[in-house]
Amino acid sequence: MKEVICQQQESQAVVMGCWILNESISVILALSWLGVNLYLFIDTFCWYREEESFFYTRVILGSTLAWARASAVCLNFNCMLILLPISRNLISFIRGASICCRGPWRRHLDKNLKFHKLVAYGIAVNATIHIVAHLCNLERYNLSQSAEAEGLRAALSTLGDTPNESYLNPIRTFHTNTTTELLTTVAGITGLLISLALILIMTSSTEFIRQISYELFWYTHHVFIIFFISLSIHGAGRMVRGQTPESLLLHNVTFCRDRYAEWQAAARCPAPQFSGKEPSAWKWVLGPVVLYACERVIRFWRFQQQVVITKVVSHPSGVLELHMKKRNFKMAPGQYVLIQCPSISSLEWHPFTLTSAPQEDFFSVHIRAAGDWTRAFCKAFAAEGPTRREPWSLPRLAVDGPFGATLTDVFHYPVSVCIAAGIGVTPFAALLKSIWYKCCESQTQLKLSKVYFYWICREPSAFEWFADLLLSLETRMSEQGKTHLLSYHIFLTGWDENQAIHIALHWDENTDVITGLKQKTFYGRPNWNNEFRQIAYSHPSGSIGVFFCGPKALSKTLQRMCRLYSSADPRGVHFYYNKESF
């Protein structure tokens, strides 16, 4: 029993070590982000707790002053970061131009959306703290004007009632309605707009909303424009005020705070003067906002460029294939583009992986009718009917990109494992086509020596368009004597009784009855433990890139397999997991 427990503990330690090895850069980045947030919060909190110029402000507000200001600084920091991960051209530039982002290191750029979500959670947490703290501040300002208020608090609240005095308490009378006061100030109005925008963005970003209505997610996400404009001018109201530097020289807080009754008369204790802190949020977000504005300018410029549709093909399972041409369009295998169809929506852009190879004189995408926009798109291109239209009569399209994605790193590993589920096979079409063309080029030397390709699909009809590509690839590699380069495994998970009888009758034929390939189709789901164990046995040392496009449940399984079968020995085999995401 003890031996079993020790083996389990050792196995868990190995898995943990492999996870740290695989995700070290992501972990360091996340911890750095968290560390900066904690530093900014604690440093700002302590400063407002101790700073002499805010002593009188703390008399009225107490510790909630520090809570409000510390969360505000962290909010500014995260708002500075939130736009960077979704700047697609910036990410593509770093991926292609940076010398330090090579091999397994570069795959962490594909986690940009995860970092975007992480920063969004940081904004939500700090915004909540900031709102709660200021609501408490508003109430304490109001209570300081009440009849029960006495001593220094009452004296500070009455400042500003006579000439040559500046106020500290923005609530001038106890009978002032705090809600009205909130809605008649710059800080109150912008704060309300920021809160509403943030609630809309966060609630519409949930996976449930994205699945049932991507359009709702898309439109509400653009409320970020109101969010950033309101954030930039939020501090202009200067609700929280502190003692001016000039007043600190004339009015010694330590000496004068107990002599508040003599402030008007005593020369040594003149009435303190206050002013609001200059707004700083715009300084934090100006750079990223300008950068993102440049992204939009580039998109608008690409929107104006003509896209010529050369071919439209309707495949089974509601898949539409589009061939297009665009001037000076250059791509790499695994990249994706954003497509807009103005006749459907003048604002929506949707990402689609390119399925053509760089060597072809066109670029193509495969689109499955899965949501409102894609169904309208397929209908506009007559993909649901028996008729075919000439390319010139089709709706106008705009294309932005291409942008770098996970699959562009396939050729950077000596061994790559490519796994697709359903329509998730589209990103691998360009990759396999590129391999086919490189096999034709005798002078091309590839670092990639082996590709394992897995495709899990529910319907036999879905194999039609992709099986032709695999067949041509199989034939070409056989002619070139490079059959060892590609090992493919196709799994069918759904079939009816008639299909099962047909499969059984033709089982002994040389080619597969469904795909027409020499490699037979497997029925059921793959045993990933066996598959990864065999790959690890065949390649006992070096780096293996695992690339996946498909549902989240299978992604978690594959990620666990990568950790489980990676060696803790740096000289052993290491599986690096990469998931396609937009």
Side-chain angles (χ1 to χ4, degrees):
M1 185 66 181
K2 289 183 179 179
E3 291 180 358
V4 173
I5 293 174
C6 290
Q7 288 177 355
Q8 289 178 346
Q9 290 176 344
E10 184 179 351
S11 176
Q12 290 175 353
V14 169
V15 171
M16 179 59 69
C18 294
W19 181 82
I20 293 173
L21 188 66
N22 271 273
E23 306 298 331
S24 56
I25 304 299
S26 296
V27 172
I28 290 171
L29 179 62
L31 290 177
S32 299
W33 170 81
L34 183 62
V36 172
N37 272 283
L38 288 173
Y39 169 77
L40 289 174
F41 192 95
I42 294 171
D43 181 66
T44 308
F45 189 92
C46 293
W47 192 85
Y48 276 94
R49 282 290 298 268
E50 299 170 2
E51 173 58 26
E52 189 179 32
S53 61
F54 285 93
F55 175 82
Y56 288 133
T57 314
R58 290 194 297 272
V59 169
I60 296 178
L61 301 181
S63 63
T64 51
L65 168 67
W67 282 99
R69 299 312 304 161
S71 57
V73 171
C74 291
L75 189 60
N76 290 338
F77 170 68
N78 285 285
C79 288
M80 178 185 72
L81 297 178
I82 193 70
L83 292 176
L84 298 179
I86 55 172
S87 298
R88 300 174 189 269
N89 288 290
L90 175 65
I91 299 295
S92 295
F93 174 77
I94 295 173
R95 177 188 291 278
S98 180
I99 298 174
C100 64
C101 289
R102 299 290 182 187
W105 288 60
R106 191 160 59 172
R107 70 191 183 89
H108 294 281
L109 289 172
D110 300 311
K111 298 182 180 180
N112 58 321
L113 291 183
K114 286 187 176 181
F115 184 66
H116 177 71
K117 293 175 183 177
L118 180 65
V119 174
Y121 289 133
I123 291 175
V125 170
N126 285 291
T128 303
I129 296 172
H130 189 72
I131 292 168
V132 172
H134 269 317
L135 288 175
C136 292
N137 288 339
L138 201 62
E139 187 62 27
R140 289 182 176 182
Y141 274 137
N142 192 47
L143 290 174
S144 296
Q145 292 285 13
S146 67
E148 290 78 14
E150 55 185 17
L152 184 57
R153 284 179 65 194
L156 291 170
S157 295
T158 59
L159 289 175
D161 291 339
T162 61
N164 301 322
E165 286 185 353
S166 57
Y167 70 90
L168 175 61
N169 190 340
I171 304 296
R172 303 312 301 152
T173 66
F174 177 67
H175 301 289
T176 301
N177 188 312
T178 53
T179 304
T180 305
E181 186 70 22
L182 183 67
L183 297 176
T184 54
T185 60
V186 173
I189 295 171
T190 55
L192 184 62
L193 289 174
I194 291 170
S195 302
L196 292 175
L198 187 60
I199 291 170
L200 276 174
I201 292 171
M202 295 292 290
T203 54
S204 64
S205 299
T206 59
E207 187 174 354
F208 174 75
I209 295 295
R210 292 203 311 272
Q211 287 180 350
I212 64 172
S213 179
Y214 184 85
E215 288 74 15
L216 178 63
F217 158 75
W218 177 267
Y219 286 118
T220 53
H221 232 61
H222 282 73
V223 179
F224 83 94
I225 298 172
I226 298 174
F227 177 89
F228 275 97
I229 293 174
S230 301
L231 180 70
S232 299
I233 60 177
H234 179 61
R238 305 190 182 190
M239 291 282 286
V240 177
R241 300 164 69 83
Q243 197 171 351
T244 64
E246 296 80 7
S247 177
L248 283 171
L249 295 175
L250 301 173
H251 180 102
N252 187 291
V253 174
T254 305
F255 178 78
C256 297
R257 62 186 179 185
D258 296 325
R259 295 172 172 81
Y260 56 86
E262 306 172 8
W263 281 354
Q264 304 297 338
R268 295 182 63 185
C269 290
Q273 301 295 316
F274 301 95
S275 64
K277 195 174 183 297
E278 289 188 5
S280 60
W282 68 271
K283 298 176 184 177
W284 288 84
V285 301
L286 179 62
V289 166
V290 170
L291 181 65
Y292 189 76
C294 292
E295 287 269 330
R296 288 307 181 104
V297 169
I298 293 172
R299 178 175 296 181
F300 179 75
W301 174 65
R302 288 172 175 168
F303 171 80
Q304 301 297 325
Q305 295 177 322
Q306 184 182 15
V307 176
V308 179
I309 301 171
T310 59
K311 187 178 181 182
V312 180
V313 182
S314 180
H315 293 288
S317 302
V319 175
L320 175 70
E321 180 181 355
L322 281 182
H323 289 204
M324 295 166 281
K325 288 185 177 182
K326 186 179 179 182
R327 182 177 297 178
N328 299 324
F329 188 89
K330 297 179 181 180
M331 59 164 287
Q335 290 187 317
Y336 69 96
V337 294
L338 294 171
I339 293 180
Q340 185 201 78
C341 183
S343 63
I344 299 175
S345 172
S346 58
L347 294 176
E348 293 183 46
W349 293 79
H350 291 258
F352 296 98
T353 306
L354 292 166
T355 55
S356 53
Q359 293 85 349
E360 293 174 309
D361 62 350
F362 63 90
F363 63 95
S364 65
V365 294
H366 285 68
I367 301 172
R368 180 168 63 94
D372 294 341
W373 189 90
T374 50
R375 279 193 289 268
F377 188 91
C378 292
K379 185 177 181 180
F381 283 82
E384 297 180 350
T387 59
R388 288 291 179 269
R389 293 161 57 184
E390 294 297 327
W392 57 264
S393 67
L394 296 171
R396 177 180 178 269
L397 291 182
V399 175
D400 186 16
F403 303 105
T406 303
L407 282 182
T408 56
D409 295 335
V410 166
F411 292 100
H412 297 143
Y413 292 92
V415 178
S416 289
V417 181
C418 301
I419 304 169
I423 194 63
V425 75
T426 53
F428 299 102
L431 167 68
L432 295 178
K433 284 182 182 179
S434 187
I435 292 175
W436 188 89
Y437 280 107
K438 289 180 185 295
C439 287
C440 298
E441 300 170 3
S442 57
Q443 298 179 349
T444 303
Q445 295 295 324
L446 289 175
K447 180 180 179 180
L448 182 66
S449 60
K450 183 69 175 180
V451 177
Y452 294 91
F453 176 67
Y454 295 84
W455 187 16
I456 303 100
C457 201
R458 186 177 301 169
E459 300 174 358
S461 58
F463 291 118
E464 181 186 300
W465 71 273
F466 203 77
D468 294 339
L469 171 61
L470 287 175
L471 182 61
S472 61
L473 189 62
E474 185 181 65
T475 305
R476 186 64 186 179
M477 287 185 173
S478 179
E479 294 173 353
Q480 296 286 329
K482 296 181 179 180
T483 53
H484 64 281
L485 179 60
L486 177 65
S487 174
Y488 55 91
H489 310 269
I490 299 176
F491 292 82
L492 180 64
T493 60
W495 59 86
D496 57 29
E497 185 177 350
N498 293 330
Q499 290 169 339
I501 295 172
H502 181 68
I503 291 166
L505 291 174
H506 296 83
W507 181 257
D508 294 330
E509 295 183 3
N510 293 329
T511 57
D512 185 71
V513 65
I514 295 178
T515 62
L517 299 169
K518 293 179 181 179
Q519 173 69 52
K520 297 287 186 176
T521 297
F522 298 92
Y523 299 93
R525 300 185 185 278
N527 186 322
W528 292 115
N529 274 299
N530 292 340
E531 299 296 337
F532 274 81
R533 187 183 298 113
Q534 182 60 43
I535 294 172
Y537 177 79
S538 302
H539 309 278
S541 62
S543 301
I544 299 177
V546 178
F547 299 85
F548 172 68
C549 185
K552 185 179 292 186
L554 182 54
S555 175
K556 291 180 179 179
T557 300
L558 295 174
Q559 201 165 8
R560 188 172 65 253
M561 291 296 108
C562 289
R563 293 197 297 265
L564 185 62
Y565 289 97
S566 290
S567 172
D569 186 350
R571 297 168 296 180
V573 62
H574 297 102
F575 290 91
Y576 293 96
Y577 182 72
N578 305 266
K579 185 181 185 301
E580 186 77 5
S581 60
F582 302 115

